[in-house]
Amino acid sequence: MLPRAAWSLVLRKGGGGRRGMHSSEGTTRGGGKMSPYTNCYAQRYYPMPEEPFCTELNAEQQALKEKEKGSWTQLTHAEKVALYRLQFNETFAEMNRRSNEWKTVMGCVFFFIGFAALVIWWQRVYVFPPKPITLTDEWKAQQLQRMLDMKVNPVQGLVSRWDYEKKQWKK
C-alpha cells in the first residue's frame, strides 16, 4: 500500500485509485471541478501539502489574498490567521493534541476480556465434566498416607523426607 502522501499525489494526477490506474478509460473521476476543501494531508511527517486547503475563494478571501501580496506588516493578526487557515487545515498544535481514542480502545479491550472470561466460566460450568475424585484433597491425603505406609522409594523419594519415629516431616 502507498502512504497517504503518495496516494494524494496519485489521485491529484488523475489516477482514481487502483481501478483508475488499470481501467481502459484512464480515470474513474470525471473532469469536473474539485470541491472547495480538498483532501490535503497536512500531518507532522508531511506538513506542506502541494495544494492549499481551500481552493475556491469567496470575495472576502480573494481580497485577503490580494492584500497578502503586499507588506505583511500591514496585516492584522486575525488576517494572518485567516490566510493560514486558507492554506492549511490544522496547526501543529492541533495536529499534535491528544485524542480520547485511547478510552475507546481500552473500553473495547476490557469488553473482550470480560466476554472471554464469561465464555470460559460458561464452559467450566456447562461444558467440562466434573473433576475426577482423584483430584480431591481427601484422596490426595489418603494416597500420601498409602505411600508412607508402603515406604515407596525410601532412598531419594518423598518417603525419605518422613520421620517414622516422630510421625512428622524431617526438617
Side-chain angles (χ1 to χ4, degrees):
M1 290 296 296
L2 293 172
R4 280 185 161 179
W7 271 115
S8 66
L9 241 155
V10 167
L11 293 174
R12 202 174 301 126
K13 299 280 186 205
R18 293 180 191 270
R19 184 176 299 229
M21 286 188 275
H22 299 294
S23 68
S24 60
E25 291 119 17
T27 63
T28 57
R29 289 199 276 180
K33 293 171 66 176
M34 292 180 68
S35 66
Y37 299 104
T38 60
N39 291 328
C40 69
Y41 296 106
Q43 296 170 351
R44 282 189 306 182
Y45 57 85
Y46 188 66
M48 303 293 274
E50 294 177 7
E51 293 180 2
F53 175 65
C54 186
T55 54
E56 294 180 6
L57 306 175
N58 60 21
E60 181 182 323
Q61 292 170 338
Q62 286 177 349
L64 190 59
K65 287 294 266 185
E66 287 300 320
K67 194 174 180 184
E68 174 190 22
K69 293 177 183 174
S71 174
W72 275 65
T73 56
Q74 302 293 325
L75 294 173
T76 65
H77 180 70
E79 290 173 335
K80 290 177 185 176
V81 170
L83 282 171
Y84 183 86
R85 290 294 180 183
L86 288 177
Q87 187 68 28
F88 302 105
N89 185 21
E90 295 178 317
T91 63
F92 275 101
E94 291 169 347
M95 281 187 255
N96 295 333
R97 75 172 176 262
R98 292 188 173 182
S99 69
N100 289 330
E101 186 179 5
W102 68 273
K103 294 177 185 177
T104 305
V105 170
M106 291 304 292
C108 291
V109 165
F110 288 135
F111 173 77
F112 285 115
I113 288 173
F115 184 73
L118 189 66
V119 167
I120 290 170
W121 172 80
W122 179 82
Q123 286 179 344
R124 285 193 177 180
V125 170
Y126 296 107
V127 177
F128 296 142
K131 288 184 178 180
I133 195 169
T134 56
L135 294 179
T136 61
D137 290 335
E138 295 172 4
W139 186 276
K140 288 180 182 178
Q142 289 174 354
Q143 185 179 11
L144 178 63
Q145 186 60 44
R146 199 173 315 121
M147 289 173 71
L148 292 174
D149 292 342
M150 292 174 28
K151 295 184 180 179
V152 176
N153 199 1
V155 178
Q156 291 182 349
L158 182 68
V159 177
S160 66
R161 295 187 215 120
W162 180 257
D163 189 358
Y164 284 96
E165 287 103 25
K166 296 180 184 177
K167 302 281 187 195
Q168 64 182 8
W169 294 105
K170 293 179 183 175
K171 294 181 181 175

